[in-house]
Amino acid sequence: MTKKALIAGITGQDGSYLAELLLNKGYEVHGLIRRASTFNTSRIDHLYVDPHDPQAKLFLHYGDLSDGARLVTLLHEIDPDEVYNLAAQSHVRVSFDEPEHTGNTTGIGAIRLLEAVRMSGVKCRYYQASSSEMFGATPPPQSELTPFYPRSPYGAAKVYAYWVTKNYREAYDMFAVNGILFNHESPRRGETFVTRKITRAVARIKAGVQQHVYMGNLDATRDWGYAPEYVEGMWRMLQADEPDDFVLGTGTPYTVRDFLVTAFEHAGLDWEKHVRFDERYLRPTEVDALIADASKAHEKLGWKAIVQPDELARIMVDADIEALECEGRPWIDQVNLEGWIK
Ligand code: NAP
Ligand code: F7E
């Protein structure tokens, strides 16, 4: 029997890698996409096959996490075996500008999808994209047992989504899990997250089309891993015998400054000549340090991050230099996870 998965957030960084992974495993993949006045499917265009083609395995449906009735209808229609909730307003700085929208999508959106699963009566497993931002001010290392102390409307919304996921597991015996993922990046990362902002700027500075990049707090420490490895972890959580919550991360501390140095050096540039400060990029409350203790995922799922932050920076710089050379090309970077497991 072909397994069916529904991905909310399929047009995002993780959604696109997860869709690839599941299609490669033989799944029929359904994705929730938002109606927009411009195309918003660039990360998955390379996967799309006309639905009239008998080979088609990827199907897209209009919907939005703010529209609960639509979610119930889709659950009935698709009858998936697995539901991945990756949809969110996912930018921490933006969540201070749009706190209500962030709460509605990133927080309440999760319970709309959980409730749609419950009301439709569909028997499926549910993955919630929880975040290390929930730990916020609690010092590292952070594991599944670390108390939450969110420092942004985004982090607070993710805490709500985390707890309703756990509550639906306990209240309705649902196979519902939280993947508490630390920062993970790739050439498909949104251009306003710090890693991609840096690597894109490096490529443009090297090509002579930009001279400076304006940044905020360079002292923040993050635990940056490689997104394709993390979607494998999501899938493994839904294949486990029992529903449980897992932290995924590299365990390697790296500051924004470290990432800048590695990225600029890789392109043969001196970062201090090109980086300028702009207070616009500071946050009202910052998360100083996130460093994962992902030992539970290693022990129970056999999952371990391989690509470390320095290699990640180099992968992203190379991809941005190449992308600039052939601007306008679709997302065709290929992921090779051979030899990666354990
Ligand atoms: P992303 O690139 O920002 O993608 C977010 C996805 O959510 C996009 O497909 C977006 O659609 C969709 N979306 C936004 N609002 C929606 C709504 N109201 N209804 C339906 N869909 C909506 O995020 P990502 O980096 O792939 O992350 C995936 C998930 O993991 C997110 O929930 C994020 O908060 C969480 N997370 C990410 C990280 C990380 O480091 N990447 C770490 C921990 C947790 P459009 O394309 O139309 O905007
Ligand atoms: O910031 C600092 C900024 O926006 C990282 C999301 O995927 O990971 C992500 O959230 C750090 C922060 O990611 C700039 O202050 C300095 O300390 O790339 P970011 P984030 O806030 O860590 C978590 C786990 C998620 O769940 C989120 O969805 O970099 N920083 N200067 C800057 N950040 C940005 N964006 N831009 C700057 O110019």
Side-chain angles (χ1 to χ4, degrees):
M1 282 282 283
T2 303
K3 270 193 172 181
K4 281 191 269 182
L6 169 63
I7 305 175
I10 195 168
T11 54
Q13 170 190 256
D14 291 4
S16 68
Y17 285 120
L18 181 65
E20 255 167 40
L21 179 94
L22 297 178
L23 288 168
N24 283 336
K25 288 186 185 293
Y27 279 62
E28 182 177 300
V29 176
H30 295 258
L32 188 75
I33 60 164
R34 299 196 284 177
R35 144 76 193 152
S37 66
T38 50
F39 289 121
N40 58 0
T41 54
S42 62
R43 292 187 178 102
I44 52 169
D45 283 347
H46 62 294
L47 301 175
Y48 197 71
V49 173
D50 187 309
H52 303 100
D53 186 328
Q55 302 300 317
K57 292 276 226 167
L58 172 64
F59 303 94
L60 302 177
H61 310 265
Y62 284 117
D64 196 296
L65 280 199
S66 60
D67 182 354
R70 174 67 176 146
L71 298 177
V72 178
T73 306
L74 280 176
L75 258 295
H76 267 302
E77 269 177 34
I78 299 166
D79 191 17
D81 300 287
E82 295 172 10
V83 173
Y84 295 85
N85 180 21
L86 311 184
Q89 189 304 93
S90 72
H91 202 285
V92 173
R93 178 66 192 83
V94 172
S95 78
F96 289 98
D97 300 329
E98 296 191 76
E100 185 181 334
H101 168 72
T102 303
N104 192 15
T105 305
T106 307
I108 315 269
I111 207 165
R112 287 196 192 96
L113 193 48
L114 282 162
E115 192 58 3
V117 170
R118 189 179 76 85
M119 287 173 69
S120 64
V122 166
K123 290 275 161 269
C124 62
R125 295 183 169 202
Y126 175 92
Y127 174 88
Q128 171 60 30
S130 286
S131 165
S132 55
E133 276 293 305
M134 301 187 305
F135 300 124
T138 311
Q142 291 106 352
S143 74
E144 296 80 4
L145 302 175
T146 302
F148 299 142
Y149 188 155
R151 295 270 284 171
S152 64
Y154 169 81
K158 283 289 184 187
V159 170
Y160 174 80
Y162 169 94
W163 280 112
V164 292
T165 301
K166 212 162 164 118
N167 178 246
Y168 271 52
R169 179 159 87 213
E170 292 167 1
Y172 305 116
D173 206 19
M174 273 174 59
F175 194 110
V177 308
N178 285 289
I180 307 172
L181 272 49
F182 283 59
N183 301 53
H184 46 281
E185 322 288 311
S186 73
R188 298 184 198 176
R189 186 57 145 150
E191 289 87 348
T192 60
F193 295 96
V194 78
T195 54
R196 185 75 200 290
K197 178 171 168 176
I198 292 169
T199 60
R200 197 165 166 271
V202 165
R204 290 168 61 82
I205 290 167
K206 185 151 177 81
V209 291
Q210 181 177 327
Q211 281 307 308
H212 300 108
V213 59
Y214 290 86
M215 309 282 310
N217 174 20
L218 305 188
D219 295 322
T221 296
R222 289 291 183 274
D223 175 330
W224 281 295
Y226 186 40
E229 296 177 357
Y230 287 59
V231 301
E232 165 77 25
M234 295 175 188
W235 177 77
R236 286 187 186 204
M237 287 179 214
L238 288 199
Q239 314 314 308
D241 293 338
E242 298 295 331
D244 204 349
D245 305 322
F246 292 95
V247 157
L248 301 185
T250 68
T252 307
Y254 219 62
T255 63
V256 175
R257 187 177 290 97
D258 293 333
F259 199 94
L260 272 170
V261 172
T262 306
F264 275 82
E265 269 181 5
H266 186 55
L269 297 167
D270 176 356
W271 74 276
E272 285 181 288
K273 289 191 179 136
H274 300 284
V275 175
R276 292 186 173 176
F277 174 72
D278 186 338
E279 65 178 12
R280 262 195 313 160
Y281 299 111
L282 297 178
R283 289 148 192 210
T285 39
E286 174 65 288
V287 170
D288 294 326
L290 295 173
I291 309 164
D293 169 358
S295 45
K296 178 176 167 186
H298 190 206
E299 197 182 305
K300 299 206 164 161
L301 303 174
W303 186 93
K304 194 175 186 322
I306 298 299
V307 173
Q308 295 295 315
D310 52 351
E311 190 187 346
L312 174 71
R314 292 191 286 269
I315 290 172
M316 291 175 68
V317 166
D318 288 343
D320 269 318
I321 288 174
E322 200 191 328
L324 196 63
E325 282 163 5
C326 25
E327 206 142 62
R329 72 175 189 154
W331 289 102
I332 53 168
D333 58 306
Q334 292 297 313
V335 175
N336 181 5
L337 287 180
E338 237 176 291
W340 166 70
I341 306 308
K342 272 230 211 166

mmCIF file of all heavy atoms in Angstrom, residues 274-298:
data_model
loop_
_atom_site.group_PDB
_atom_site.id
_atom_site.type_symbol
_atom_site.label_atom_id
_atom_site.label_comp_id
_atom_site.label_asym_id
_atom_site.label_seq_id
_atom_site.Cartn_x
_atom_site.Cartn_y
_atom_site.Cartn_z
ATOM 1 N N HIS A 274 33.433 44.656 5.112
ATOM 2 C CA HIS A 274 32.127 44.674 4.443
ATOM 3 C C HIS A 274 30.923 44.664 5.382
ATOM 4 O O HIS A 274 29.805 44.917 4.945
ATOM 5 C CB HIS A 274 32.021 43.455 3.505
ATOM 6 C CG HIS A 274 33.072 43.434 2.450
ATOM 7 N ND1 HIS A 274 33.024 44.239 1.337
ATOM 8 C CD2 HIS A 274 34.233 42.736 2.361
ATOM 9 C CE1 HIS A 274 34.094 44.009 0.589
ATOM 10 N NE2 HIS A 274 34.842 43.097 1.197
ATOM 11 N N VAL A 275 31.138 44.350 6.673
ATOM 12 C CA VAL A 275 29.983 44.221 7.576
ATOM 13 C C VAL A 275 29.793 45.501 8.384
ATOM 14 O O VAL A 275 30.729 46.013 8.983
ATOM 15 C CB VAL A 275 30.177 43.010 8.528
ATOM 16 C CG1 VAL A 275 29.040 42.945 9.540
ATOM 17 C CG2 VAL A 275 30.238 41.725 7.717
ATOM 18 N N ARG A 276 28.564 46.011 8.382
ATOM 19 C CA ARG A 276 28.222 47.213 9.144
ATOM 20 C C ARG A 276 27.071 46.902 10.091
ATOM 21 O O ARG A 276 26.302 45.970 9.848
ATOM 22 C CB ARG A 276 27.831 48.345 8.199
ATOM 23 C CG ARG A 276 29.036 48.812 7.406
ATOM 24 C CD ARG A 276 28.741 50.006 6.572
ATOM 25 N NE ARG A 276 29.972 50.513 5.976
ATOM 26 C CZ ARG A 276 30.036 51.513 5.132
ATOM 27 N NH1 ARG A 276 28.928 52.155 4.782
ATOM 28 N NH2 ARG A 276 31.185 51.905 4.636
ATOM 29 N N PHE A 277 26.983 47.719 11.139
ATOM 30 C CA PHE A 277 25.950 47.496 12.149
ATOM 31 C C PHE A 277 24.698 48.320 11.828
ATOM 32 O O PHE A 277 24.795 49.479 11.433
ATOM 33 C CB PHE A 277 26.493 47.894 13.528
ATOM 34 C CG PHE A 277 25.455 47.846 14.615
ATOM 35 C CD1 PHE A 277 24.977 46.629 15.086
ATOM 36 C CD2 PHE A 277 24.952 49.025 15.157
ATOM 37 C CE1 PHE A 277 24.007 46.589 16.079
ATOM 38 C CE2 PHE A 277 23.980 48.989 16.158
ATOM 39 C CZ PHE A 277 23.515 47.766 16.616
ATOM 40 N N ASP A 278 23.527 47.713 12.045
ATOM 41 C CA ASP A 278 22.258 48.455 11.958
ATOM 42 C C ASP A 278 21.361 47.955 13.081
ATOM 43 O O ASP A 278 21.019 46.759 13.122
ATOM 44 C CB ASP A 278 21.600 48.210 10.592
ATOM 45 C CG ASP A 278 20.340 49.076 10.410
ATOM 46 O OD1 ASP A 278 19.766 49.514 11.436
ATOM 47 O OD2 ASP A 278 19.922 49.284 9.258
ATOM 48 N N GLU A 279 20.978 48.863 13.956
ATOM 49 C CA GLU A 279 20.191 48.459 15.133
ATOM 50 C C GLU A 279 18.804 47.925 14.770
ATOM 51 O O GLU A 279 18.147 47.284 15.573
ATOM 52 C CB GLU A 279 20.076 49.617 16.130
ATOM 53 C CG GLU A 279 19.309 50.804 15.611
ATOM 54 C CD GLU A 279 19.180 51.916 16.650
ATOM 55 O OE1 GLU A 279 19.864 51.864 17.685
ATOM 56 O OE2 GLU A 279 18.373 52.831 16.392
ATOM 57 N N ARG A 280 18.380 48.175 13.535
ATOM 58 C CA ARG A 280 17.090 47.628 13.078
ATOM 59 C C ARG A 280 17.036 46.105 13.197
ATOM 60 O O ARG A 280 15.974 45.506 13.267
ATOM 61 C CB ARG A 280 16.902 47.971 11.602
ATOM 62 C CG ARG A 280 16.035 49.184 11.366
ATOM 63 C CD ARG A 280 15.581 49.268 9.949
ATOM 64 N NE ARG A 280 16.642 49.070 8.966
ATOM 65 C CZ ARG A 280 16.421 48.724 7.709
ATOM 66 N NH1 ARG A 280 15.202 48.490 7.297
ATOM 67 N NH2 ARG A 280 17.422 48.582 6.867
ATOM 68 N N TYR A 281 18.225 45.491 13.155
ATOM 69 C CA TYR A 281 18.246 44.031 13.189
ATOM 70 C C TYR A 281 18.371 43.444 14.589
ATOM 71 O O TYR A 281 18.474 42.231 14.752
ATOM 72 C CB TYR A 281 19.350 43.500 12.261
ATOM 73 C CG TYR A 281 19.102 43.919 10.830
ATOM 74 C CD1 TYR A 281 19.924 44.837 10.201
ATOM 75 C CD2 TYR A 281 17.994 43.435 10.144
ATOM 76 C CE1 TYR A 281 19.663 45.263 8.902
ATOM 77 C CE2 TYR A 281 17.720 43.847 8.853
ATOM 78 C CZ TYR A 281 18.557 44.764 8.239
ATOM 79 O OH TYR A 281 18.284 45.174 6.970
ATOM 80 N N LEU A 282 18.370 44.346 15.597
ATOM 81 C CA LEU A 282 18.354 43.850 16.983
ATOM 82 C C LEU A 282 16.922 43.471 17.349
ATOM 83 O O LEU A 282 15.972 43.976 16.757
ATOM 84 C CB LEU A 282 18.849 44.933 17.945
ATOM 85 C CG LEU A 282 20.300 45.395 17.762
ATOM 86 C CD1 LEU A 282 20.625 46.499 18.764
ATOM 87 C CD2 LEU A 282 21.272 44.229 17.918
ATOM 88 N N ARG A 283 16.776 42.606 18.328
ATOM 89 C CA ARG A 283 15.441 42.202 18.784
ATOM 90 C C ARG A 283 15.165 42.798 20.160
ATOM 91 O O ARG A 283 16.107 42.948 20.950
ATOM 92 C CB ARG A 283 15.369 40.680 18.847
ATOM 93 C CG ARG A 283 15.357 40.117 17.441
ATOM 94 C CD ARG A 283 16.017 38.795 17.292
ATOM 95 N NE ARG A 283 16.181 38.531 15.856
ATOM 96 C CZ ARG A 283 16.183 37.348 15.318
ATOM 97 N NH1 ARG A 283 16.061 36.276 16.061
ATOM 98 N NH2 ARG A 283 16.323 37.213 14.017
ATOM 99 N N PRO A 284 13.897 43.108 20.490
ATOM 100 C CA PRO A 284 13.594 43.656 21.815
ATOM 101 C C PRO A 284 14.090 42.745 22.941
ATOM 102 O O PRO A 284 14.528 43.213 23.981
ATOM 103 C CB PRO A 284 12.071 43.763 21.817
ATOM 104 C CG PRO A 284 11.691 43.823 20.381
ATOM 105 C CD PRO A 284 12.704 43.017 19.630
ATOM 106 N N THR A 285 13.989 41.449 22.741
ATOM 107 C CA THR A 285 14.593 40.479 23.666
ATOM 108 C C THR A 285 15.297 39.435 22.799
ATOM 109 O O THR A 285 14.713 38.902 21.859
ATOM 110 C CB THR A 285 13.527 39.762 24.537
ATOM 111 O OG1 THR A 285 12.374 39.491 23.734
ATOM 112 C CG2 THR A 285 13.130 40.593 25.740
ATOM 113 N N GLU A 286 16.555 39.167 23.124
ATOM 114 C CA GLU A 286 17.373 38.261 22.308
ATOM 115 C C GLU A 286 17.468 36.891 22.999
ATOM 116 O O GLU A 286 17.350 36.780 24.226
ATOM 117 C CB GLU A 286 18.765 38.883 22.124
ATOM 118 C CG GLU A 286 19.817 38.032 21.421
ATOM 119 C CD GLU A 286 19.505 37.720 19.959
ATOM 120 O OE1 GLU A 286 18.593 36.901 19.718
ATOM 121 O OE2 GLU A 286 20.190 38.268 19.062
ATOM 122 N N VAL A 287 17.685 35.879 22.208
ATOM 123 C CA VAL A 287 18.041 34.554 22.728
ATOM 124 C C VAL A 287 19.550 34.444 22.560
ATOM 125 O O VAL A 287 20.059 34.423 21.440
ATOM 126 C CB VAL A 287 17.298 33.450 21.941
ATOM 127 C CG1 VAL A 287 17.841 32.081 22.297
ATOM 128 C CG2 VAL A 287 15.801 33.528 22.220
ATOM 129 N N ASP A 288 20.273 34.404 23.684
ATOM 130 C CA ASP A 288 21.731 34.499 23.609
ATOM 131 C C ASP A 288 22.398 33.222 23.113
ATOM 132 O O ASP A 288 23.342 33.284 22.325
ATOM 133 C CB ASP A 288 22.309 34.871 24.985
ATOM 134 C CG ASP A 288 21.890 36.274 25.400
ATOM 135 O OD1 ASP A 288 21.757 37.130 24.498
ATOM 136 O OD2 ASP A 288 21.656 36.499 26.599
ATOM 137 N N ALA A 289 21.941 32.086 23.604
ATOM 138 C CA ALA A 289 22.675 30.856 23.272
ATOM 139 C C ALA A 289 21.759 29.639 23.210
ATOM 140 O O ALA A 289 21.044 29.326 24.165
ATOM 141 C CB ALA A 289 23.769 30.615 24.311
ATOM 142 N N LEU A 290 21.801 28.960 22.074
ATOM 143 C CA LEU A 290 21.075 27.699 21.892
ATOM 144 C C LEU A 290 22.073 26.635 21.458
ATOM 145 O O LEU A 290 22.740 26.793 20.427
ATOM 146 C CB LEU A 290 19.984 27.861 20.820
ATOM 147 C CG LEU A 290 18.839 28.827 21.141
ATOM 148 C CD1 LEU A 290 17.925 29.017 19.927
ATOM 149 C CD2 LEU A 290 18.033 28.324 22.339
ATOM 150 N N ILE A 291 22.208 25.585 22.255
ATOM 151 C CA ILE A 291 23.121 24.475 21.927
ATOM 152 C C ILE A 291 22.416 23.174 22.321
ATOM 153 O O ILE A 291 22.054 22.983 23.486
ATOM 154 C CB ILE A 291 24.467 24.589 22.687
ATOM 155 C CG1 ILE A 291 25.084 25.996 22.497
ATOM 156 C CG2 ILE A 291 25.444 23.510 22.224
ATOM 157 C CD1 ILE A 291 26.172 26.322 23.499
ATOM 158 N N ALA A 292 22.236 22.306 21.345
ATOM 159 C CA ALA A 292 21.413 21.112 21.562
ATOM 160 C C ALA A 292 22.150 19.991 22.289
ATOM 161 O O ALA A 292 23.332 19.760 22.051
ATOM 162 C CB ALA A 292 20.928 20.581 20.212
ATOM 163 N N ASP A 293 21.383 19.289 23.120
ATOM 164 C CA ASP A 293 21.796 17.961 23.577
ATOM 165 C C ASP A 293 20.830 17.004 22.885
ATOM 166 O O ASP A 293 19.698 16.813 23.335
ATOM 167 C CB ASP A 293 21.682 17.862 25.102
ATOM 168 C CG ASP A 293 21.848 16.430 25.594
ATOM 169 O OD1 ASP A 293 22.019 15.523 24.751
ATOM 170 O OD2 ASP A 293 21.774 16.213 26.818
ATOM 171 N N ALA A 294 21.276 16.434 21.758
ATOM 172 C CA ALA A 294 20.393 15.583 20.941
ATOM 173 C C ALA A 294 20.663 14.101 21.189
ATOM 174 O O ALA A 294 20.425 13.257 20.316
ATOM 175 C CB ALA A 294 20.571 15.926 19.463
ATOM 176 N N SER A 295 21.142 13.767 22.389
ATOM 177 C CA SER A 295 21.535 12.371 22.628
ATOM 178 C C SER A 295 20.332 11.414 22.590
ATOM 179 O O SER A 295 20.478 10.261 22.197
ATOM 180 C CB SER A 295 22.309 12.235 23.935
ATOM 181 O OG SER A 295 21.687 12.963 24.947
ATOM 182 N N LYS A 296 19.148 11.904 22.974
ATOM 183 C CA LYS A 296 17.973 11.002 22.953
ATOM 184 C C LYS A 296 17.644 10.577 21.516
ATOM 185 O O LYS A 296 17.361 9.398 21.261
ATOM 186 C CB LYS A 296 16.774 11.724 23.580
ATOM 187 C CG LYS A 296 15.488 10.912 23.582
ATOM 188 C CD LYS A 296 14.379 11.659 24.314
ATOM 189 C CE LYS A 296 13.024 11.054 24.071
ATOM 190 N NZ LYS A 296 11.934 11.868 24.668
ATOM 191 N N ALA A 297 17.719 11.522 20.581
ATOM 192 C CA ALA A 297 17.429 11.183 19.174
ATOM 193 C C ALA A 297 18.475 10.194 18.637
ATOM 194 O O ALA A 297 18.156 9.299 17.849
ATOM 195 C CB ALA A 297 17.399 12.451 18.319
ATOM 196 N N HIS A 298 19.715 10.349 19.079
ATOM 197 C CA HIS A 298 20.769 9.435 18.630
ATOM 198 C C HIS A 298 20.487 8.029 19.143
ATOM 199 O O HIS A 298 20.517 7.042 18.395
ATOM 200 C CB HIS A 298 22.134 9.938 19.122
ATOM 201 C CG HIS A 298 23.279 9.197 18.506
ATOM 202 N ND1 HIS A 298 24.496 9.075 19.101
ATOM 203 C CD2 HIS A 298 23.380 8.524 17.337
ATOM 204 C CE1 HIS A 298 25.304 8.372 18.337
ATOM 205 N NE2 HIS A 298 24.647 8.024 17.253
#
